[in-house]
Amino acid sequence: MDHQTLLANYLSNLQVDLYMVNYNRCGPGWRDLDYTPDYSKLYWICEGEGWLKIGDQEYYPKPGQLFLMPEGVTQSYSSISDQPFLKYWCHFSAKVGGINLFQILRFAHFVEVNQPVQFEDTFKSMLMYANSGEVYAHMMAKSKLTELLSHYIMSLDLEQITYLNVPVVEKLSTVLTYIDTNIEDNMSVQDLAQMLHMHPNYFIRFFKQQVGMPPIHYITSKKIDKAKEMLRCTSLTMTHIADNLGFSDSYYFSRQFKKHTGLNPTEYRKQMTITTTT
């Protein structure tokens, strides 16, 4: 499995939480040195000047730049003139399977934004929802945070994203590649754990931490993805598809399919046929 596929898998299982968001001008005393936050930050610079240090890298952010300051990395910041930053900013967490995303992946610390109006509108919406008392407001604010992170990553070259724990990534890639290429077979947790020379219980914890779900759930979801493809692209019966994908019987297959998609296989195939002919 290539790193791009593995990256997509991490990001599809990303869970974010928004702690705080605001829009204000920094004061002349805006300054803190060599602290390590237990939250991550985004700074969208609108005006002014200032200084940041993220790890061992120093920056003088400019308007139109979006900065990412990851959790668990030593940081410093300071005003440097009588024109301090005017910025949108937020504090958040981003986790995959309970692990801080930035312990798994290292991203470039900032991007030059090509569509500043879009970023500003997204920050405005996130701030509005964060200050709203509506029952759905926090969920909407988190969706805006996810949107910002998505656009941040879209603005990067893949070469600007690196894996921090290469041995873990290689082990995970081995297992995920095996699952993808053998999705039509029956495979057990014991088989997968043996591939990595792990005890099955440890392997389940390892897999869930890295992928965000237990291995059996992941395998089933990949089988359902394959079933959807077969329903769209072949005329095989439900029984044949269930047999080909290693389900014990067509009833169990149909139940699992509906659990994942909301439709039984027959309904799904009919819906896809309607979609492609209209």
Side-chain angles (χ1 to χ4, degrees):
M1 176 174 289
D2 61 48
H3 282 189
Q4 186 171 347
T5 304
L6 185 57
L7 174 63
N9 192 75
Y10 279 133
L11 296 179
S12 68
N13 289 287
L14 186 64
Q15 295 179 314
V16 301
D17 202 6
L18 178 66
Y19 301 143
M20 187 179 299
V21 56
N22 211 337
Y23 172 67
N24 56 19
R25 189 175 293 279
C26 302
W30 185 69
R31 176 182 174 88
D32 201 351
L33 301 179
D34 296 327
Y35 73 104
T36 305
D38 58 0
Y39 51 84
S40 299
K41 297 184 288 184
L42 285 172
Y43 286 175
W44 167 241
I45 310 300
C46 300
E47 296 177 8
E49 299 175 325
W51 168 79
L52 299 179
K53 186 176 181 183
I54 309 171
D56 58 359
Q57 298 291 314
E58 295 189 51
Y59 301 98
Y60 294 88
K62 298 176 181 178
Q65 292 179 331
L66 181 67
F67 269 79
L68 171 65
M69 305 177 73
E71 170 187 346
V73 176
T74 301
Q75 303 169 14
S76 302
Y77 60 80
S78 175
S79 294
I80 58 172
S81 75
D82 59 358
Q83 294 180 311
F85 287 138
L86 175 66
K87 60 183 174 66
Y88 285 94
W89 57 271
C90 67
H91 296 175
F92 68 96
S93 71
K95 295 182 178 180
V96 176
I99 299 177
N100 169 17
L101 175 68
F102 306 113
Q103 291 177 348
I104 302 172
L105 299 168
R106 179 185 289 122
F107 295 86
H109 291 146
F110 75 96
V111 293
E112 301 280 354
V113 173
N114 295 325
Q115 297 176 307
V117 174
Q118 182 180 16
F119 273 82
E120 186 163 346
D121 287 346
T122 305
F123 256 115
K124 279 181 182 177
S125 295
M126 183 164 62
L127 181 59
M128 179 192 70
Y129 287 121
N131 291 330
S132 169
E134 299 290 348
V135 293
Y136 56 80
H138 186 67
M139 185 167 62
M140 288 297 296
K142 287 203 299 183
S143 75
K144 293 299 177 180
L145 172 59
T146 301
E147 186 178 331
L148 278 175
L149 290 171
S150 299
H151 285 294
Y152 187 95
I153 293 167
M154 288 165 59
S155 300
L156 295 171
D157 292 327
L158 289 182
E159 291 74 20
Q160 294 176 288
I161 303 173
T162 56
Y163 293 87
L164 295 177
N165 193 334
V166 174
V168 166
V169 169
E170 289 177 346
K171 287 180 179 179
L172 189 60
S173 292
T174 298
V175 170
L176 296 183
T177 299
Y178 179 84
I179 292 171
D180 278 351
T181 55
N182 296 276
I183 197 61
E184 296 177 357
D185 298 337
N186 282 318
M187 58 189 88
S188 68
V189 168
Q190 288 75 13
D191 295 334
L192 300 177
Q194 191 172 12
M195 289 176 58
L196 301 186
H197 310 291
M198 291 180 180
H199 187 279
N201 291 341
Y202 178 80
F203 170 75
I204 291 171
R205 290 196 299 272
F206 164 81
F207 192 96
K208 187 173 181 180
Q209 282 182 334
Q210 296 297 322
V211 177
M213 67 181 75
I216 293 300
H217 290 182
Y218 179 84
I219 292 168
T220 302
S221 71
K222 298 299 285 186
K223 284 181 179 290
I224 297 301
D225 286 345
K226 183 67 175 178
K228 287 158 68 176
E229 179 186 335
M230 295 169 79
L231 287 165
R232 289 194 309 268
C233 304
T234 76
S235 57
L236 290 173
T237 66
M238 308 308 155
T239 301
H240 278 122
I241 293 175
D243 287 343
N244 287 347
L245 292 174
F247 287 97
S248 55
D249 57 63
S250 56
Y251 173 74
Y252 178 69
F253 163 62
S254 181
R255 195 172 63 192
Q256 288 295 315
F257 192 93
K258 187 166 185 177
K259 181 179 177 181
H260 281 78
T261 67
L263 300 171
N264 67 40
T266 302
E267 292 168 338
Y268 180 84
R269 174 173 272 168
K270 187 180 296 183
Q271 187 67 41
M272 288 300 101
T273 302
I274 293 171
T275 302
T276 55
T277 57
T278 58

